[in-house]
Amino acid sequence: MGIRAFIEGWPVYRQLTGTDPLGRGAAAQSGRSARLTARTEGADTVARSVCPYCAVGCGQRVFVTDGRVTQIEGDPDSPISRGRLCPKGSASRSLVTSPLRQTTVRYRRPYATEWEDLELDVALDMIADRILAAREQTWEDVDSEGRPLNRTLGISSLGGATLDNEENYLIKKLFTAMGALQIENQARI
C-alpha cells in the first residue's frame, strides 16, 4: 500500500476533501461498515403485532426468515408507540426463540406432584367440559320471585390488556351467550 492510498484511507482526509465535511456519512465509514447490512434486510416476511407485556399496546414489526423469527422492532406506523419500544418490548424476541419456552400444554392433576404434557385437543376438551359442567351446576332460570334470570355465576372472563377491542367484543359475545355476567376486559388498543 502506497503512502497516497494510506492517506486517502484516513476518515479525516475523506472528510476534508469529499462531500461529507461534517464526517457523519461516507467519510466516517470504514470498508467493513460500508459492507454491513441490517439484520432485517433478508427477512422473507414482516408481520405486525402488539407487544405482549404491558397495557400500552405498542406496535411491533416481526421479521421472519425461513419460518423463524429473526428480529422484532417497533412499528413506525403505530399511532401508539410510533416505532419505539421499551427495553422489555425490544427484547420480546426471546419470548418466541428461547430454548426455555414452553411449547406444550402442561397439566398437574389434583393432588399430583408432577406435571404432564397434554395434547392441545385434549386440553381444549377438558376446558370445554369444565365450562359446561360449571354452567350446568350454577345455572339460574328464575329468581326466588319467579322473574327470569337465565344466567350463571359459575363462570367469568377477565380479558388481558393486549387484547384489542375486536377480540374483547367476540369474548363478550361468547360469554354472554353462555349466560355469564362477570365479563371484564382492559382493552386499550
Side-chain angles (χ1 to χ4, degrees):
M1 173 187 282
I3 189 80
R4 181 177 179 91
F6 181 71
I7 291 175
E8 288 175 350
W10 282 359
V12 173
Y13 177 81
R14 291 194 308 263
Q15 181 179 345
L16 294 173
T17 62
T19 59
D20 185 17
L22 297 177
R24 296 181 181 165
Q29 275 190 341
S30 67
R32 180 182 173 277
S33 62
R35 290 187 300 274
L36 292 176
T37 59
R39 288 183 293 234
T40 59
E41 193 170 293
D44 299 330
T45 59
V46 180
R48 294 182 188 276
S49 186
V50 176
C51 181
Y53 285 110
C54 73
V56 173
C58 296
Q60 292 183 323
R61 292 170 62 191
V62 181
F63 295 86
V64 180
T65 304
D66 296 329
R68 297 185 52 83
V69 174
T70 55
Q71 181 69 13
I72 296 178
E73 296 181 352
D75 186 354
D77 295 331
S78 169
I80 295 168
S81 59
R82 299 181 311 228
R84 297 170 186 89
L85 292 175
C86 70
K88 207 169 186 179
S90 295
S92 60
R93 183 182 80 144
S94 64
L95 283 174
V96 294
T97 60
S98 171
L100 302 175
R101 180 179 184 211
Q102 290 292 328
T103 57
T104 59
V105 176
R106 305 284 288 161
Y107 178 66
R108 189 171 61 91
R109 296 186 184 280
Y111 307 107
T113 59
E114 301 294 322
W115 291 87
E116 62 182 279
D117 288 339
L118 293 180
E119 294 292 323
L120 181 59
D121 289 339
V122 171
L124 290 174
D125 287 343
M126 289 172 67
I127 292 168
D129 291 344
R130 290 174 184 185
I131 288 174
L132 292 174
R135 183 178 185 267
E136 180 67 30
Q137 292 169 4
T138 60
W139 185 257
E140 299 174 358
D141 280 323
V142 294
D143 65 9
S144 60
E145 297 177 18
R147 294 178 292 207
L149 294 175
N150 296 324
R151 69 178 186 193
T152 179
L153 300 177
I155 55 176
S156 61
S157 172
L158 175 61
T162 58
L163 294 171
D164 61 29
N165 285 331
E166 290 80 10
E167 291 166 318
N168 278 308
Y169 172 80
L170 293 173
I171 291 169
K172 168 74 172 156
K173 295 294 271 186
L174 170 67
F175 277 81
T176 300
M178 290 190 299
L181 296 180
Q182 302 97 337
I183 306 166
E184 188 59 61
N185 69 65
Q186 304 173 19
R188 305 216 178 134
I189 52 176

